[in-house]
Structures are given as C-alpha cells and as structure tokens.
Amino acid sequence: MGTSALPPLLAAAVVLLMVAAAAMTVEDSAPDNIQPLSTLNLAAAQVAMDSASAIHASPDVLGKDGEDSAWVTVNFTTPSPSSDHWIGLFSPADFSSGIGSAKVAGEGDAPAGLSVAPIKYKLGNCEPDFLRTGGGNTSFLVINQRSDYAFGLFSGGKDNPKLLAVSNKISFANPKAPVFPRLSQGKEWNQMAVTWTSGYNIGEAYPFVEWRMKGEETSKRTPAGTLTFTRGHLCGDPARGQGYRDPGFIHTAFLKDLWPNREYSYQIGHELQDGTVAWGKSATFRASPYPGQASLQRVVIFGDMGLGAKDGSSELQGFQPGAQVTTDRLVKDLPNYDAVFHIGDLSYANGFLAQWDQFTAQIEPIASRVPYMVASGNHERTYMDTGGFYNGNDSHGECGVPAETYFYVPAAAHRGKFWYAADYGMFRFCVGDTEHDWRPGSEQHAFLDACFAGADRKHQPWLVFLAHRPLGYSSNDFYAQEGSFAEPMGRALQPLWQRHRVDLAVYGHVHNYERTCPVYENTCTVKGKDRQSSYAGAMGGTIHVVAGTGGARLRSYAGGAWPQWSVARNESFGYVKLTASDHSSMRFEFIHSDDGAVHDAFTITRDYKDIMACAVDSCAPHTLAN
C-alpha cells in the first residue's frame, strides 16, 4: 500500500521513518563501517601446529619503569610462506585453548572455533622478504590491558585460519596498574572529573587522585568511585561473544572547588592493603574559567575518529585512515586549545571491546591534559529493541555500555541519558543525544529547551548545540536532497534553535565537512557575498556545521547544484576550533589534520543588543502594549 492511501499524519510519519531508515541503512552498510576484526572467520579456526613454524616475542616483561605501553619485536618463520599467513596479538595468552589441544599438521583436524578475537593483527607479507624467505620480524605496540599476551602465527587467511605456532608469553610488570587518565568537566564549572582504568577491584586497593594547585606545597587526596560491566550488561554479539574482553575497573574521582584558570597537577593511584601505592602517570590541567568570564578560550570539536595504527596493524588499514593523523595533530597543537568535544563514534570498537582500551591509550596524551568531552553516536548506542530512537545494529551489541562506562559526562540523570550542559567561560554547550528521542514532549527536548534558556547571553554570548547525527543540514551523498529532514528532526528542533538564538550547531556522523549560512527553515537569514567569511550584527538563524572528519574514511557529497544554504565544503580530515577572547567576537576555523592549516573560517562580530534582536519566530508576538 502506498503512503497516498494512508491518513495524512500517518503518511507523514511513515515517510519520515522510511527516510531515517534509508539513511541509517546506507551509512551502516558502507565498507568503512565494517570493523575489520569481524571479517576474521573465527568460528572456522583450527589448531594445526607445525613443528617447522615458530614465533617469538621480546622482551618478555614490559613496563619495568612504569610505562603503560611498549614496543614488542615479533620474529616468525614458516616453511611454506604465502600471502594468507598472518600474526595476531591475543590476550589472555592462553587463547589457543579455545580451539582444542595442539596437534601437529597432518595428524587430523583439531576442534574448530576460536572463542576470542585478537586485539590486532598483521599480515605476514607486511615484511618485504617474507614470501621469499619464509621469515621476518615486525613490531607491535602493546598497551597494558590487565593480562598477559601471546602472538599466534596463522595460515589460511581470514576465511580458514589455522594456528601454526604460539609465541612465548609476555606481560607488563604490573598488569593491574592504573592507566590512561582522561579528564572531563564535572556537573559544576569548577569541578574536574578524572577517570582511568585499572585491574584493581575495590577489595584489593583504594583508588584515589592526589592533586594540588600550582604553587601549593601540600597535596590532597580525593577518593574515586569504581564501575565495571560484564557480558550480562551487553546486548548482543560480537560484544557478548568473540569480541568480549574483561574491561577491568573504571574509576572516577571529582576534584572540586577549583580556582578559575589555575593550573593543577595530579596523579592517579591505588593504595594497596599493605599501605603501598601503585601509581599511574602524573599530569597537569588548567581549570575552567568562571562562566561568562572574558579570557582567551579555545575549544576543539569533531566526530567520527576511531583508532590509529602506529604499528601498521592490518585491522585498521582503510577503516579509520585519518585517526592517527588527527590524534598526532591534536597532541602537537595541545598548547593552543583548552577543551575537546568528540561528538560521537569514538572508538568504532563495534563490539570488539579490547579496542576501547586501545582508544583510551591513543587519546591519553590529550585527555589527560584537557577535558575530553564526548557525545553518543550510533556506533556507541544503537541496537535493536533497547529503547533507542533507531532500531539498527550499529553498536554491534554494545548498546552504549562501554562508552557510558569508560567516559564520564555530566548528565543530569545518568550516563544512559547522554545529554548534558557544559559551560566554558563565554561558551554554553548543550550536548544532545541523537540516539534517543528529541522530539517535543520527550525528556530530551525539555532538557535542551532548559539548557538553551539557561545561558546568560550577556555573559555567555556563544550558544552552541552539539550532537552526533546531523539534525540540520547536510549535502552528503546518502542524505541527498533531503537536507534538513534526512533525520526526522528539523521540524522538531528548529523552533528551539530559533527561539533561543543558537549560534552554531555542530555534528558528526557524516564523514566530510560542510558549513551553512545562518539558516532557518532552509532559508539563509543573512544575505550578501560576504556571508562566507564574516557575520556582523543580528544573524537571524543558526549556522550548521558537519565535522565528522576525525579519522573515519571520508564520504562524498551529493551531485548537482549546491543547496543555497551550503556555503563551504571540504573532503579532508580535520576538526573545528572555536576561539573567543571577549563578548563581541568569535572566530571559527576548520583545521586540516595533516598540515594544521586553516581551510575554512569565519568570524562573528556583534553586541548584546544583536543577540536580543527579534527574527522570524524568535520573539513572542507583540501585544498592543508594545
């Protein structure tokens, strides 16, 4: 039955759901969204130990001086080399027990099936002489993930893996050590949350942060709370199956009553039962400015990054080709910004949980120094029949649990409701959760209304909405001509943005960059050729920006003429940077990750009266008294 045969309201609802489902299906089925670890046919794995094949890892003990990562050299050899040989890093080290007892090649098949996926892998022919000599050596970057490790040498490629040899075990000197501190803003502007991961349960050791303000002689200790999750918290495979790995324990401490703009040093630790302390890394951060305070304030925003591959691991080749480039640029530019908002699609673990530790290790040089605020994306949350707005399988069984545990956000209720407000000086950020209902009458819609209304625009002139899916304007190929209605939203949130005079809305999800003019109901509210580089006075609409350019494979734009609201596009890896130093001007830049160059920019210059000025649908109707 066609929609023309349905009542008008029902027909409209059907069209919206069809459009949303189409956009989601196309996006999720794209090759760049297939976790490469899922292409290993682990159910077909067999043990076929070959006495002529060998693999060895060195050194045996890692992190002797407290390091949380180390390079490991792997030597391997086999008598009949082929392009189907590969080396996998597994943890715990007894991974081969899941596929039966060791057997010599040719003596019959071992029981099939590998119960756990590798953390990472490389093809044997990554070494130039492997196919000629049958031997080689390569290096893996290994991080402390609370257990021992072993490498396996396989033949048979991805489709029919056969385990030929297992390496010696390697491990960190203290596998349980606290690692990878990550900062985020607390529920008040003068709080900093410190989150980290360890192997210590609360019965073994007391987690804490030792910290002090720069210039103080004595430190104080703040205790941390402890969370974890199990298979039973997850919603489906591979997260509950071959992708599952014990997440350890995630600890969060809240450093309170911070002085605005003051520098602090801190160190994570665990006090053991005998009174000794297992220390993690120390770091420094600068506390947030007082809300409304005028000072130099710089914020970075992007989405859709994923994991880098410093060691050239094959499971990441082509999956998130720009992730390490963006990470390296942000580490290099660390002195030049004050906070980060990563707006969804964080690790792209897609149900392979060891990747979350890898991701927190990757961002640790950034997240240990500045607040690393996150939003929920489809690859974190979406799973069938779990109360989300979309009914897909983009999280591959995670249904939000790892992201909501590994990262703290100052949500008003709990982290399952991933929407929150964050004040940073002259900026008010209202972070939405596009994986939950945001329509009028929903809990999230009421929150966003209150969040926007809570900004004192005299002192917080820059009001920014952040969310994962573009709930606005995008010319991406799978959004095509739907524009602002590709996700069933524009009709729901545009009145809020307009009434509260939201300056900027930034999204991820779409893996390219696009900027609109100030727009309302598909119409630019500022006229003239200069609209691309500067705006002065009342804007009358919201500028929408797509910046899903953190590292996942880039996507193209729809063909044909640009919509009149689209003023800038760039198909490159990069991030948005907002800079303000006073209440009347704000600088926007899109920065390329590879060279640090600015490839799109504009400024907004205005006074408070320009914020108050009425535009279409932004003020209540005037009465005769006016």
Side-chain angles (χ1 to χ4, degrees), residues 37 67 123 147 178 180 207 248 307 324 344 458 465 491 493 527:
L37 288 171
E67 303 93 340
L123 301 178
S147 189
F180 315 132
L307 282 176
Q324 194 63 55
K458 292 187 296 296
F465 173 71
R491 304 177 178 103
L493 287 189
K527 307 299 181 183

Side-chain angles (χ1 to χ4, degrees), residues 384-580:
M384 295 85 72
D385 300 320
T386 57
F389 190 81
Y390 298 94
N391 216 16
N393 185 23
D394 295 2
S395 76
H396 299 271
E398 292 185 11
C399 56
V401 173
E404 293 163 14
T405 309
Y406 277 107
F407 288 89
Y408 173 82
V409 296
H414 56 77
R415 281 178 263 180
K417 299 179 178 180
F418 224 94
W419 49 83
Y420 61 93
D423 294 314
Y424 194 87
M426 294 175 288
F427 290 96
R428 158 60 69 95
F429 295 96
C430 296
V431 181
D433 179 358
T434 55
E435 308 315 298
H436 284 90
D437 197 353
W438 56 83
R439 294 168 299 177
S442 69
E443 183 179 358
Q444 182 172 191
H445 189 275
F447 161 78
L448 291 172
D449 195 1
C451 184
F452 295 144
D456 180 355
R457 301 303 291 277
K458 292 187 296 296
H459 305 296
Q460 289 181 300
W462 313 114
L463 183 55
V464 183
F465 173 71
L466 302 176
H468 180 62
R469 298 176 190 255
L471 302 185
Y473 300 79
S474 171
S475 301
N476 177 253
D477 53 3
F478 63 79
Y479 277 63
Q481 298 303 312
E482 292 297 329
S484 62
F485 305 119
E487 305 284 354
M489 77 31 85
R491 304 177 178 103
L493 287 189
Q494 285 202 95
L496 279 187
W497 297 328
Q498 191 72 355
R499 184 166 72 249
H500 294 294
R501 301 166 177 83
V502 174
D503 296 304
L504 187 66
V506 187
Y507 315 98
H509 194 57
V510 172
H511 303 165
N512 60 33
Y513 170 80
E514 185 167 23
R515 170 170 66 92
T516 77
C517 57
V519 63
Y520 178 56
E521 297 288 4
N522 291 306
T523 302
C524 291
T525 58
V526 175
K527 307 299 181 183
K529 297 294 184 182
D530 63 343
R531 70 188 188 190
Q532 294 192 21
S533 59
S534 63
Y535 304 98
M539 288 171 36
T542 298
I543 297 172
H544 295 259
V545 175
V546 173
T549 48
R553 183 181 296 178
L554 297 168
R555 303 296 292 272
S556 59
Y557 302 91
W562 287 21
Q564 55 93 22
W565 40 258
S566 179
V567 300
R569 297 178 181 177
N570 199 290
E571 200 170 331
S572 304
F573 298 115
Y575 52 89
V576 163
K577 183 178 178 181
L578 308 181
T579 303

